[in-house]
Amino acid sequence: MILSILRPTLFGLLSLGLLTAATNGAAADGPDLIFRKSTVFKWLTPNDKLATYAIDDPAVTGVACYYTVPEKGGIAGTLGLAEQVSDISLACRQYGPIGFKEKFGQGDVVFRERRSLFFKKMQIVRGCDTKRNVLVYMVYSDKLVEGSPKNSTSGVPIQPWGAATEAPKCADWVKR
């Protein structure tokens, strides 16, 4: 009797979790998974893991950001229902000649990803230290109700690449 009452609810949660998991990985321009490492063993369900991803800056060529996030295992994590913690690390690097595709504002979003079913998202934003000609990237998570003080910052000094003798100035590309 209890199973017949709970079955529609469980089926709805399972369907929502599978849909959530499918939409998280469906973006063609989403992050590239570099590797995962298990951190907490679980007997019958997937382990908790740390996962490292890479993204290319959509407005700046030659820059990639690598971020590591905890991913909850268990049933809730598998279904996309677990609220992920806000501990995210970030390292951005120049891997080729830097070029700017468009002007950008200080704090423009480079990448955004949900970290819970409804209330939390992670964002990577970009700025320019005009005095030092350094691109500055910050990752943080925000929660609808209480926010999150957890963040990480990475700087990419813009350097000449290959035979080039001059590097572009990010200050020329910042919207005023």
Side-chain angles (χ1 to χ4, degrees):
M1 171 149 167
I2 293 176
L3 184 59
S4 64
I5 294 170
L6 291 178
R7 187 176 299 158
T9 304
L10 291 173
F11 180 74
L13 286 174
L14 178 62
S15 299
L16 182 60
L18 292 174
L19 178 63
T20 300
T23 57
N24 270 350
D29 59 343
D32 299 320
L33 175 64
I34 305 302
F35 68 93
R36 283 189 175 103
K37 184 71 177 161
S38 291
T39 58
V40 175
F41 176 75
K42 305 222 181 237
W43 276 101
L44 299 173
T45 59
N47 295 343
D48 290 355
K49 297 173 180 68
L50 287 174
T52 299
Y53 294 91
I55 61 159
D56 291 312
D57 188 320
V60 181
T61 59
V63 174
C65 290
Y66 299 88
Y67 64 94
T68 299
V69 291
E71 295 180 342
K72 291 218 182 246
I75 294 171
T78 302
L79 297 177
L81 301 174
E83 181 170 325
Q84 304 293 342
V85 295
S86 298
D87 300 324
I88 306 161
S89 66
L90 177 72
C92 300
R93 300 292 184 264
Q94 178 177 359
Y95 68 88
I98 289 183
F100 295 92
K101 298 177 185 176
E102 60 194 31
K103 289 198 173 231
F104 60 89
Q106 298 283 34
D108 276 0
V109 174
V110 174
F111 178 73
R112 178 178 295 148
E113 179 178 79
R114 284 185 320 93
R115 297 291 293 152
S116 74
L117 191 55
F118 297 111
F119 301 113
K120 188 189 287 186
K121 65 182 173 290
M122 174 200 77
Q123 298 187 78
I124 298 175
V125 295
R126 173 200 335 96
C128 168
D129 176 348
T130 59
K131 179 178 176 182
R132 295 168 188 85
N133 199 31
V134 174
L135 290 167
V136 179
Y137 294 84
M138 177 177 60
V139 64
Y140 66 97
S141 67
D142 53 3
K143 192 171 181 181
L144 185 63
V145 178
E146 63 191 56
S148 173
K150 307 248 179 157
N151 60 76
S152 182
T153 303
S154 183
V156 179
I158 302 174
Q159 302 292 320
W161 195 267
T165 58
E166 296 238 358
K169 305 285 183 218
C170 62
D172 299 338
W173 293 88
V174 175
K175 290 179 189 172
R176 306 268 178 230

